[in-house]
Amino acid sequence: MTPADLSRTVLHAVRRAVDEDALRAPVPARVRVERTRPGGSGDYACAVALQLAGPAALPALEVARILRERVAAEPGVGRVEITGPGFLSFTLDAPAESDRAVLAAVREQGLAYGHGDALRDEIHRFHHAREVRAAVTAQTVRRLLTAQGARVRTTCAEPPDPDWVRLGVTVDAHGTPPVPLTGIRPVPAGATAGELLERLGSDAVRWGLLRAAGHDRAALGPELLVQGEANPLFRVRYAHARARALTRGAAALGFTAEAAPYGASPAEPAPYSESPSGPAAHGASPAAQAANAALTATTAYDAPARPLLDLIADHPGVLIAGARHRAPDRVARQLEAVAHAFFDFHDSCPPLPAGDEKPSAAHRARLAIAEAAGTVLAGGLSLLGIRAPEHL
């Protein structure tokens, strides 16, 4: 179960409680689920009971109890606890199964992983000055909102700079709007689109304009062109290119990704002859085969994969938050975190066998995680309007 799945599950529980007249309150448009903070209980938590307590004219603890009864029985939810004044804390069933569901969702949805219809009922109209950072920010906010189902229109105070087209920016209209619109006003870049493009190129310009929060000055120096780890843009794109290279390398070795967890530590990978898919599995007794299947279904991935898996699972929530808060910088920082976790995972748990080593279940699972990370990076860069080359 992904965080988005859990959010829908809790929302469904609220609807059921209202339909059954156990709760008399308006059903919210969405329920926000967050990863539990260090020291907290469970995997995820939400404050929907506190949100509904007032309209329902009930104590938050009573609302939480009503919802707990309805969420606890849902598939994928292991335990639901009530903490503090009425927070619901959720422990998901079988973490390995939850991880596998996330990887399957990434594989199925591809670059659209994290897109959805959470904001389908919203209409936004943005207006910005004839300034390159404002134009690029407004256009990217539009992409983020549209990816969540919202309808968006952007206008500019004056005729747009012709060079904006080279940055992928268009506007629906220009001039003074007849009614006040939501303004997009980041700190100006201090240079024109043409000047920036001549120095940096479109991808580096867009990253530089979007990486900093709107209230901070954008870093638009030559460091954006550095081909090294000190340059976050290079690191993100290199992580994506490396993930794609792993897929090509695996194909050359005759194996593909498989999201099934395997439970082996990176220091002691399961021997090929002992893998459920290896030679030792042929001719095994039905009981042994069943035991192998159970092990595959319930044991975990490598421990170093956990930060990367968590970031991949959290990606849809980051995209929604970036859209709601009109903050593309949140997406950029998420991509940096994914790239950092990818390289930590890659270096600790190589997805490709070395030397005479045979491809094992561990390698297939690690490759699935690496491919998911590459997809997340490519999808996030696409929303920022930045290319994700397969070779660097």
Side-chain angles (χ1 to χ4, degrees):
M1 177 176 288
T2 68
D5 292 334
L6 181 57
S7 176
R8 287 190 290 268
T9 297
V10 177
L11 185 59
H12 178 64
V14 174
R15 288 200 185 99
R16 280 180 53 205
V18 171
D19 291 344
E20 295 166 5
D21 207 28
L23 196 62
R24 297 183 179 180
V27 177
R30 64 186 72 89
V31 171
R32 184 176 181 180
V33 173
E34 296 183 332
R35 189 169 293 282
T36 304
R37 295 177 183 176
S41 175
D43 300 315
Y44 295 92
C46 78
V48 67
L50 293 124
Q51 176 186 344
L52 297 175
L58 290 172
L61 288 172
E62 177 64 15
V63 176
R65 185 191 63 78
I66 291 170
L67 297 179
R68 178 177 62 180
E69 294 174 353
R70 289 159 175 79
V71 176
E74 292 292 330
V77 177
R79 185 172 70 254
V80 183
E81 300 173 271
I82 300 173
T83 61
F87 293 103
L88 287 169
S89 295
F90 309 97
T91 300
L92 302 184
D93 236 350
E97 288 298 325
S98 176
D99 293 335
R100 182 152 43 170
V102 169
L103 297 178
V106 177
R107 190 175 188 87
E108 178 182 347
Q109 297 168 29
L111 299 184
Y113 173 66
H115 296 203
D117 59 359
L119 308 182
R120 63 185 178 278
D121 297 326
E122 297 186 7
I123 300 175
H124 297 270
R125 296 181 177 88
F126 298 125
H127 189 68
H128 60 84
R130 191 178 188 269
E131 193 278 323
V132 62
R133 190 179 184 195
V136 170
T137 300
Q139 185 259 356
T140 307
V141 169
R142 179 176 187 161
R143 284 174 181 249
L144 293 173
L145 285 164
T146 302
Q148 302 304 326
R151 289 173 287 172
V152 185
R153 179 178 172 83
T154 59
T155 60
C156 181
E158 303 174 59
D161 183 337
D163 284 325
W164 289 357
V165 175
R166 296 162 61 193
L167 288 168
V169 174
T170 59
V171 297
D172 296 307
H174 65 268
T176 303
V179 295
L181 303 179
T182 302
I184 301 293
R185 302 184 185 91
V187 174
T192 67
E195 292 168 346
L196 293 173
L197 285 164
E198 183 177 352
R199 287 195 289 111
L200 300 171
S202 61
D203 289 333
V205 170
R206 288 190 66 96
W207 179 270
L209 294 173
L210 298 171
R211 170 58 182 84
H215 54 76
D216 293 329
R217 188 171 299 279
L220 295 163
E223 65 275 6
L224 289 168
L225 300 178
V226 173
Q227 302 289 294
E229 291 187 3
N231 178 2
L233 172 58
F234 174 80
R235 189 172 177 83
V236 167
R237 301 213 302 180
Y238 182 57
H240 166 263
R242 180 57 187 156
R244 295 295 176 251
L246 291 172
T247 300
R248 295 192 297 270
L253 293 172
F255 76 98
T256 58
E258 183 179 339
Y262 48 87
S265 70
E268 297 179 338
Y272 179 60
S273 61
E274 296 176 8
S275 167
S277 58
H282 298 290
S285 68
Q289 292 181 19
N292 280 332
L295 178 67
T296 298
T298 60
T299 52
Y301 295 98
D302 290 307
R306 176 49 45 202
L308 181 56
L309 287 165
D310 287 345
L311 286 165
I312 293 171
D314 290 344
H315 186 67
V318 173
L319 296 186
I320 292 175
R324 285 178 179 156
H325 296 281
R326 303 193 290 276
D329 57 289
R330 294 191 179 203
V331 179
R333 289 196 299 274
Q334 161 77 355
L335 299 183
E336 289 181 29
V338 171
H340 181 80
F342 168 81
F343 283 117
D344 284 350
F345 164 70
H346 173 279
D347 295 343
S348 299
C349 312
L352 300 182
D356 294 333
E357 188 181 8
K358 300 289 187 180
S360 67
H363 294 114
R364 287 189 288 274
R366 292 170 187 169
L367 181 62
I369 297 170
E371 289 183 346
T375 299
V376 164
L377 292 170
L381 286 170
S382 175
L383 285 172
L384 297 180
I386 297 171
R387 291 171 298 170
E390 298 208 356
H391 302 272
L392 275 182

